[in-house]
Amino acid sequence: MAKRDLAAELLRELGQDRTQYHSGEELSVRLGVSRTAVWKAACRLREQGYAIESVTRLGYRLTALPDGMTKELLEQYLPQGRGETVICYEETDSTNTRGMQLALEGAPTGTVVLADRQTHGNGRLGRSFASPAGQGVYLSYLLRPDFDPAALSLLTSCAGLAVCQVLEQHGLAPAIKWPNDIILDRRKVCGILTSDAESGTINGAVIGIGVNVTQQPQDFPEELRDKAISVREAGAAVPRAAIAAGIITRLDDLFLRQHILSQPAENLIGELTRRSCTIGRRVEVISPTGQYEALAVAIAPDAGLIVELPDGSRRTVSSGEVSVRGLLGYT
Ligand code: BTN
């Protein structure tokens, strides 16, 4: 039997209403332990960085949360019960790799894997994604079963939209560099990597999202300093768990409530176009078949990029990468 974590249980009780005091007597009855045990659990939470007031005859009140990436902390920002299908690692190789494994084991849609640190964070096109402890959100969201691989670009775009909406709630003005980089102040704050998991009859997709949250410029490798930015550097001091929970909630809303993938794509494409920092700009397309210059003109219904070539002809780019003049060091 799993060992009881009274501190986590107390945190859940106090987190249900952070405006009120919760009497020690009431808490001891609800948790089925002595008042001394409640007091000891409160001390343990304080050691973990939670600020808990205790006032004679009134009880305990949770007044501030630490920055961290634990399930208990995340639950403070998520709707009640949502934490049940969230798995939080202090360290793992890659949350996408864990997510794939869970998909193959039959984990339900909406399962989320998070880590405080990744030892082998994967980026697009075989690159690695630096994932130091205490500085970012590294999150994978599982969707299954039965995915049309053609919908993968739409999934990635939905994730980009979700991240933008969360950053906007915190007063920032992010833009999307097609297909899946989120940009603040001309630098990259978030990257997205969607992979499909397929084995026998089990199909699924894992959307991996990496957000730079607390880094200062000197925390990025030298070669990335003019290309990378964190949420904090952009001017918003937001706890990582709040950003992670915000993204999970937005993704739930898009996929599980709005069923965005079975809706006409116009709304989504409109939202993406409104936030695009690629449309209307000169770009260099780096595709599997070669490299060429073009003008980015629109987002296609399948989330591909419609570009216009110097001879006036148009084509849709659906995989590969574009460099946008004036962004991420491309001049
Ligand atoms: C990119 O910009 O190239 C994509 C980066 C994607 C990084 C995230 S972090 C969480 C998830 N796990 C991974 O290994 N990669 C994605």
Side-chain angles (χ1 to χ4, degrees):
M1 209 169 75
K3 196 165 170 278
R4 188 169 178 192
D5 185 349
L6 193 57
E9 288 179 38
L10 176 64
L11 182 60
R12 241 167 254 138
E13 292 289 338
L14 297 180
Q16 276 176 26
D17 188 348
R18 286 168 52 190
T19 62
Q20 303 282 335
Y21 287 94
H22 301 254
S23 92
E25 182 60 39
E26 235 175 74
L27 288 166
S28 76
V29 171
R30 277 217 291 273
L31 297 171
V33 296
S34 67
R35 290 181 64 167
T36 312
V38 171
W39 175 78
K40 281 189 184 155
C43 293
R44 273 205 302 285
L45 288 174
R46 287 194 188 103
E47 279 161 23
Q48 292 167 27
Y50 293 90
I52 298 173
E53 271 180 15
S54 59
V55 177
T56 324
R57 276 192 283 279
L58 286 177
Y60 299 91
R61 190 164 73 103
L62 177 60
T63 54
L65 306 173
D67 187 42
M69 194 51 79
T70 61
K71 183 156 157 161
E72 290 75 35
L73 191 50
L74 207 72
E75 280 175 336
Q76 294 297 315
Y77 297 98
L78 283 172
Q80 208 172 357
R82 180 61 179 91
E84 277 161 30
T85 47
V86 175
I87 298 159
C88 256
Y89 291 100
E90 194 175 329
E91 177 183 297
T92 190
D93 47 359
S94 152
T95 57
N96 269 21
T97 309
R98 296 296 112 238
M100 296 279 215
Q101 198 174 21
L102 287 167
L104 299 178
E105 288 165 4
T109 217
T111 299
V112 171
V113 184
L114 275 152
D116 186 38
R117 169 171 186 256
Q118 296 184 117
T119 52
H120 290 91
N122 297 314
R124 292 182 69 236
L125 309 171
R127 296 182 193 125
S128 62
F129 186 82
S131 314
Q135 298 192 333
V137 167
Y138 318 117
L139 175 158
S140 296
Y141 188 100
L142 177 59
L143 279 168
R144 55 182 299 275
D146 294 337
F147 266 96
D148 176 359
L152 278 186
S153 316
L154 275 175
L155 292 188
T156 306
S157 303
C158 289
L161 177 61
V163 173
C164 285
Q165 289 173 330
V166 171
L167 298 180
E168 286 161 7
Q169 279 167 2
H170 295 288
L172 299 173
I176 305 173
K177 175 184 165 289
W178 188 91
N180 56 7
D181 286 342
I182 308 303
I183 304 292
L184 282 173
D185 197 14
R186 296 174 173 264
R187 286 173 283 161
K188 175 165 163 173
V189 68
C190 165
I192 300 166
L193 175 68
T194 302
S195 335
D196 51 343
E198 194 174 331
S199 159
T201 54
I202 302 171
N203 296 300
V206 175
I207 308 175
I209 301 174
V211 190
N212 303 325
V213 182
T214 63
Q215 288 95 336
Q216 299 296 334
Q218 64 274 14
D219 294 324
F220 292 113
E222 185 138 15
E223 66 279 9
L224 290 184
R225 279 188 201 154
D226 59 344
K227 300 193 181 99
I229 190 169
S230 69
V231 171
R232 183 168 297 169
E233 199 193 339
V238 190
R240 288 178 301 141
I243 294 183
I247 295 173
I248 295 168
T249 307
R250 285 303 308 148
L251 291 175
D252 285 351
D253 197 42
L254 290 171
F255 295 127
L256 310 182
R257 281 183 280 281
Q258 291 184 37
H259 298 283
I260 189 114
L261 297 176
S262 37
Q263 304 278 325
E266 294 108 66
N267 278 356
L268 173 63
I269 302 303
E271 294 286 341
L272 296 173
T273 306
R274 205 156 64 74
R275 294 173 174 85
S276 174
C277 57
T278 307
I279 305 303
R281 311 278 280 267
R282 297 222 66 84
V283 296
E284 183 169 56
V285 180
I286 304 139
S287 79
T289 52
Q291 219 161 303
Y292 55 91
E293 293 233 347
L295 177 69
V297 288
I299 307 284
D302 65 354
L305 181 69
I306 304 174
V307 296
E308 190 171 282
L309 302 179
D311 66 3
S313 64
R314 288 186 173 196
R315 66 167 69 154
T316 303
V317 185
S318 23
S319 63
E321 185 159 78
V322 298
S323 298
V324 179
R325 286 206 183 280
L327 282 184
L328 309 182
Y330 178 61
T331 50

